[in-house]
Amino acid sequence: MAHPAQLGFQDAASPIMEELLHFHDHALMIIFLISTLVLYIIVVMASTTLTDLYTLDSQEVEIIWTVLPAITLTLIALPSLRILYLMDEINDPHLTIKAMGHQWYWSYEYTDYEDLGFDSYMIPTQELVPGQFRLLDTDHRMVVPTQSPVRLLISAEDVLHSWAVPSLGVKMDAVPGRLNQATFIVARNGVFYGQCSEICGANHSFMPIVVEAVPLEHFENWSSLMLEDA
């Protein structure tokens, strides 16, 4: 959960998000080094050593400013591709959930269970109780077990939506007539908040996402209670 005056990302709650944070720091350091080098060159440009005709026409300088960017791009591209492939891997998911975007709420269907599904609406401000977050809490949370691979099938019924939870490193567009999928593993217990990240209409800011991660035995108890109430 973000807090006032926070700088940087939310704490990672999944292995993918941890990888994304490491990659962010890696790329930021490369950008810092490039910026420092460019600033140094600008500062010393007034000297004749960098502006005389011999230096500007030097073959060595041509080689340096061709090879260095190539190396820099390689250092950024390799870890980036690795994370992209990790995000696409789906190895024997323990649970599959279908998330459907509507104007303006989400509905969830646990496809491994018969008749386990519900709509998730934002709790109006006047109905909030102490401890709940305005514009973020919902009447029904998407409950998942921790330390278990979860496959999320995402689509929309009307317009474009986007299912995004920053702490889990998941952001996937919900497109009408198309089924996208994402996978994640929640590493720790907790409640993680997200919002629709696609401008989907007048009430776009009123369709939050709440994921509650609990131990497996608690998830089984929750699913049994939900099936009894269905």
Side-chain angles (χ1 to χ4, degrees):
M1 182 68 191
H3 57 78
Q6 174 177 331
L7 294 177
F9 294 94
Q10 299 179 26
D11 292 337
S14 70
I16 288 296
M17 190 57 189
E18 291 179 1
E19 293 284 347
L20 290 173
L21 291 179
H22 290 319
F23 176 69
H24 169 267
D25 296 340
H26 169 75
L28 197 62
M29 183 56 65
I30 293 176
I31 294 172
F32 173 76
L33 294 175
I34 293 173
S35 302
T36 303
L37 176 61
V38 172
L39 180 61
Y40 171 77
I41 294 175
I42 292 174
V43 169
V44 300
M45 274 293 288
S47 67
T48 57
T49 56
L50 285 180
T51 57
D52 61 39
L53 187 61
Y54 175 78
T55 302
L56 293 177
D57 290 339
S58 171
Q59 179 104 20
E60 290 78 9
V61 173
E62 296 272 359
I63 294 174
I64 291 172
W65 72 38
T66 301
V67 172
L68 279 183
I71 296 174
T72 302
L73 290 174
T74 302
L75 292 176
I76 295 176
L78 291 180
S80 175
L81 291 173
R82 173 178 173 272
I83 295 176
L84 284 174
Y85 280 107
L86 286 175
M87 294 175 70
D88 283 339
E89 282 188 358
I90 299 180
N91 296 322
D92 190 23
H94 297 173
L95 182 66
T96 299
I97 304 173
K98 183 178 180 181
M100 184 71 71
H102 307 268
Q103 290 181 314
W104 287 274
Y105 64 95
W106 293 95
S107 62
Y108 299 102
E109 178 185 344
Y110 289 69
T111 60
D112 300 293
Y113 298 82
E114 187 175 357
D115 299 328
L116 179 50
F118 51 85
D119 297 330
S120 180
Y121 291 89
M122 185 193 76
I123 300 177
T125 302
Q126 63 272 18
E127 298 179 12
L128 291 172
V129 299
Q132 291 182 327
F133 297 101
R134 177 177 173 271
L135 302 182
L136 286 178
D137 263 300
T138 59
D139 56 353
H140 291 94
R141 296 172 173 176
M142 191 184 90
V143 181
V144 298
T146 56
Q147 305 295 337
S148 297
V150 177
R151 175 171 55 191
L152 193 64
L153 304 177
I154 304 167
S155 187
E157 191 176 68
D158 34 51
V159 298
L160 291 174
H161 299 279
S162 184
W163 199 91
V165 180
S167 293
L168 302 179
V170 179
K171 182 180 183 297
M172 182 62 68
D173 288 343
V175 183
R178 178 173 178 174
L179 199 63
N180 292 328
Q181 67 178 4
T183 182
F184 60 89
I185 300 174
V186 186
R188 54 186 169 86
N189 299 336
V191 179
F192 310 101
Y193 296 88
Q195 291 177 303
C196 176
S197 298
E198 187 74 49
I199 299 178
C200 57
N203 293 329
H204 157 69
S205 57
F206 302 110
M207 51 182 303
I209 300 160
V210 184
V211 178
E212 183 176 357
V214 297
L216 180 59
E217 57 270 19
H218 292 179
F219 172 79
E220 292 175 345
N221 293 334
W222 171 84
S223 60
S224 299
L225 291 174
M226 292 292 290
L227 289 172
E228 291 175 0
D229 296 338

